[in-house]
Structures are given as C-alpha cells and as structure tokens.
Amino acid sequence: ASADDWRSRSIYQLLTDRFATSDGSSPTCNTGDRKYCGGTWKGIVKKLDYIQNMGFDAVWISPIVANVGNTTYGEAFHGYWTLDINSLNSHFGTEDDLKSLASELHKRNMYLMVDIVVNHMAATSNPPNFSGFTPFNTQNDFHTECFIQASDYDNNQTAVEQCWLGDANLPLADVNTEDDNVVNTWNTWVTNIIKTYSIDGLRIDTVKHVRKDFWPAFAKAAGVYTVGEVLHNETSYVAPYTEVIDAALDYPTWFQLTPAFASTHGNLSALAAAVQSAQSSYKGGEFFAGSFLENHDQPRFQSLTKDLGLVKNAMAWPFIQDGIPILYYGQEQGYTGGNDPDNREALWLSGYEEDKPLVTHVKTLNAARKAAAAANKDFYTSGLKFLSSTPSNLVVSKPPMLALLSNGGSSTSPQWSVPNAGYSANEDLVDVLTCIKITADSNGGVTAKSTQGMPQVLLPASALSKQGNVCPSV
Ligand code: ABC
Ligand code: CA
C-alpha cells in the first residue's frame, strides 16, 4: 500500500512478544527480567477483534527476523537484535503464522506494518563473531568498530552514521551501507519480504544512522509506505529524511506534546509551534508522519501523570491532527510503565477489557476522525489550523472538526471562546467525547465549557448522522 493509501489509516503498535499468546494463556511477565514472555503472531490473530473494535485499521508489529540468544541485557524479545535477516524469529511463530496474520488482517481490510532494522546486527561478544551473521558474514560488511558518543549526536553526523550503537557488552555491529554489495542485498531482501509476507508498510528503525542517499532506492525496492524512526527533537533535523522515505515518526512534535500535557504547567503554545514547523518543513506537510504519544522506547505517558483530564487531552492529540495516528498497545488499558524495559508490559495481564474509559476514548477518537473524513473529502489533505493557542489552551480546527484542548487538569473546568470557528450560523454541534450537543452562534462561533479538565472534540451533528457509531442517539 502506498503513502496515499495509508493517510486515512490509524495504527495500533504492538510488541509481538507482549501482546497475546497463541493459546490465550496468561503467563507471568516480569518486564525487569527482559525475557521472552510468550506472545506470538497467532496470538495477534486471535485478538484482532480487540484491535479492530477500537477503530484501528492497521497493526505495526515488532521486528520479525531471527535475533541473538541470551545477552548481558537479557533476551531479544523486542526483536531489534538481528542475527539472521533470512530467518524468522521462531519465538513468534512460523512462516505460515506470519502469512496468516497478514491474510487475516487483509480479510478485515486492515494493513500490516512490519518494523525492520537495516543499520546493524547484534553481537554477544566484542569483537563480534562476524561469521555468525547471515548474510553479512565478513568484517568488511561492517564499518570499523567505534561506539557513537553522546556528543556525536550534536556535531558528528558521520559518526552517527558509521560508528556503532550499543556497547562492548552488546555491540550493534554497524552494517556497511556504503558498500554496493551490501546495498544490493538489502534492496533485494526488502522486495522479497514485502512479497513473501504481503506486508503493507514498513516502520524503519534507526534511519538517521544510515546515510540519507541509501534510502530512496531501498524505499523504491520496498514499494510500500515507509515511515522512519529519526529520534531527534528538531524538525530541521528530521525534515530532510522525509525527502528520502515517505515519512518520519513525528518525534519533534512528541518532544513538545509530552511536557505540554504531562503537568498543569506545560506549554501548549510550544506544541503548536512544533506542529507548524513540521507542517511547513516535512515533505507533503505532516500528513504522512506517524503521530504518537507513546512507544516502546519512551516512558509511558501515564508514568508521568495519572490525571485523567491531562491523559485524555494528550491522548486526543494524535487523532485530531494531520498525521497518521499511532497508539502504542497498553495505553488504552492505563499502563504506567516507565523507561525501557518497564514500558513493555504484557497486555494479557489486563484481560483485554473493552469497557474501560481509555478504551472508549480511543474508540471515540478513531470514529470521530473517520466521521470527519466522511463529511469532508478534503479532511486528510487539509492542514489543521490553530485558531488560538496559549500555554494552557488550544483551539485546533480541521474542518469539520474543532478540538478544544486544555492542560488545566481534572480539578479545572476549562472554557473556550472561539469567535469564528467556521461553522454555519446556529449549526448543531456535538462533543463526541460526551455526546453533549451545543449550538454555534450566529457567526458560526463556539463557546464551550467542560468539566474535570476534559477536552472536547466537536463535529457537526450532520456529520455524525453519516457515521452511525459516534453518539448514535444524538
Ligand atoms: C536497552 C536499554 C538500554 C540499555 C541497552 C543495553 O538495552 O534501553 O538502556 O543500555 C533496542 C532495544 C532496547 C535496547 C537497544 C540497545 O536495542 O529495544 O531495549 O536498549 O541494545 C531504535 C528502536 C529501539 C531499538 C533500537 C536498536 C533502535 O526504536 O527499540 O533498541 O535497534 C538511539 C537511536 C534510536 C534507537 C534508540 C534506542 O537509540 O538513534 O534509533 N531506537 C539521543 C540520540 C538518539 C538516541 C537516544 C537514546 O539518545 O539523539 O539518537 O536514540 O540513546 C532528547 C534529545 C535526543 C536524545 C534524547 C535521549 O533526549 O533531543 O536527541 O536522543 O532530549
Ligand atoms: Ca550506520
């Protein structure tokens, strides 16, 4: 599927090892142990109703290829420690299991996104035993060993690209992506896996650690939507990567989003500024970017605050903006794990309950996005506008949706007054989060007040009638 096919999608990100077991059992899973807990591709298939019921139509799974065994830092349950790119990680299932995950998704008109690592292979000794890797099995297939230093990130891009991630206990041997044979091997490999497993899109790891001009041919060989991880807080650093692959995960926005809502003293204007910078500097605006509040590398949002007002505002963001929303599994169940590895809890321990407040929140936000798009064919191609932004209040317009956000927290009753919100005179509107009706004034403006610090997501009542599952009785 192309970038255009993906722009209307909504992605559920999961770690295969931590999402669901084949037989539906609930083994203990102590995150601190950094061991495989038993999740599989078959397990995902069994829980597709759970994902689809929340309104997601794409699933991003963790890396699929064979990894190293036990290491100083535990087992490779996350899948990022590649040993052999031509074999699957047998902990997660067989070739047929992965193929049937793809076909079960496709039966539901859902997409499969697979996470891949091109930058490195993982070693359990230093220097690595290069002959143990497949297919890059000589030292010449790798850059000369040197570990990336923290200071390199600011002033030595060559080191970021050609030195190694990891450390002497677990070196991430840096693949020589300057070598023509290596490049050809990667391009052939990616064409093959897309075809073999009917993959619809790729999340590409460590994109900033490979020279930019490696990527266009690789993306072309993939032939599907590619979104890359460029872990950096500035749009000026990330934007050039959106010229060489379809899009980047929107880390620069995330770096503002998190503190903006993590406390009642956050700065929503700084979030707005980051978004505007992304809109003007990413290729094609922000539409193809992956927009997220959590992922497997960062502390969960609810490890920073449990204030439900703040949590619901922050969670709304990825769904009311221009990019492709991504929800990291477990957020909907209220998981609170901090830094890696604590943020990688087993989902089966939650019982997959669907009647929890945040599950409902996610479901409503996904449905609101689809309802907005059904009412306005340009919804996915017109950039949002901030009708106002202060450190504590935001008014976000993406017609026909108007989102009213606040970081006052659950002890406050936020208010918004939007003189010209773009609606028709006296138009009937609905806050989809509460299903409460309000009416636009004679200039199409909106005055609204919520309780307990809650956000509002307004849509015209007429837009809801076209999409039966949002506030059906309004
Ligand atoms: C784990 C633990 C480590 C431990 C290690 C042995 O094991 O987290 O504490 O030391 C995989 C596993 C991890 C594992 C790593 C290393 O491998 O999932 O559990 O770490 O063995 C991607 C994936 C990630 C994956 C890998 C490796 C890469 O999403 O899950 O990790 O395949 C860098 C890379 C980024 C990478 C990330 C983990 O490391 O660029 O691609 N993620 C700065 C740099 C970033 C750097 C980051 C962390 O530090 O700029 O490039 O990311 O080292 C802001 C600044 C940022 C700054 C952040 C930290 O602060 O603006 O620039 O980022 O204020
Ligand atoms: Ca590299």
Side-chain angles (χ1 to χ4, degrees), residues 202-207 226-230 238 245 247-250:
L202 295 176
R203 181 272 191 189
I204 309 179
D205 193 62
T206 37
V207 162
T226 46
V227 58
E229 182 220 18
V230 182
V238 174
I245 53 176
L249 293 167
D250 201 354

Side-chain angles (χ1 to χ4, degrees), residues 15 18 125 141 165 197 212 218 238 261 321 377 397:
L15 300 184
R18 301 294 160 92
S125 64
D141 294 327
L165 287 163
Y197 301 111
K212 291 190 186 73
F218 183 81
V238 174
F261 289 109
Q321 49 70 60
K377 65 174 175 35
S397 170

Side-chain angles (χ1 to χ4, degrees), residues 34 73 77-78 80-81 115 117 120 153-154 165-167 170 172 203 205-209 229-234 251 255 296-298 340-341 344:
R34 306 184 194 223
Y73 302 118
F77 67 90
H78 44 70
Y80 292 95
W81 294 339
D115 205 329
V117 186
H120 51 260
Y153 284 116
D154 293 324
L165 287 163
D167 59 27
L170 181 50
L172 299 182
R203 181 272 191 189
D205 193 62
T206 37
V207 162
K208 75 181 200 186
H209 296 281
E229 182 220 18
V230 182
L231 205 176
H232 201 283
N233 60 352
E234 287 169 77
Y251 254 114
F255 272 103
H296 59 298
D297 289 333
Q298 308 298 342
D340 167 12
R344 300 169 176 191

Side-chain angles (χ1 to χ4, degrees), residues 10-16 18-19 44 51 54 56 58-63 78 80 113 115 203 249 251 291-298 300 325-332 343-344 347:
S10 181
I11 305 172
Y12 189 76
Q13 180 200 351
L14 60 82
L15 300 184
T16 300
R18 301 294 160 92
F19 178 70
I44 302 172
I51 298 174
M54 282 186 279
F56 294 101
V59 179
W60 154 12
I61 64 171
S62 48
H78 44 70
Y80 292 95
M113 173 176 280
D115 205 329
R203 181 272 191 189
L249 293 167
Y251 254 114
S291 182
F292 62 96
L293 177 62
E294 290 189 351
N295 66 33
H296 59 298
D297 289 333
Q298 308 298 342
R300 288 189 181 271
I326 303 173
L327 185 100
Y328 179 54
Y329 86 99
Q331 181 164 40
E332 76 280 11
N343 57 356
R344 300 169 176 191
L347 195 64

Side-chain angles (χ1 to χ4, degrees), residues 119 143 160-163 174-175 177 209-210:
N119 179 63
H143 292 126
V160 169
E161 291 173 6
Q162 299 186 10
C163 287
D174 202 72
V175 175
T177 45
H209 296 281
V210 176

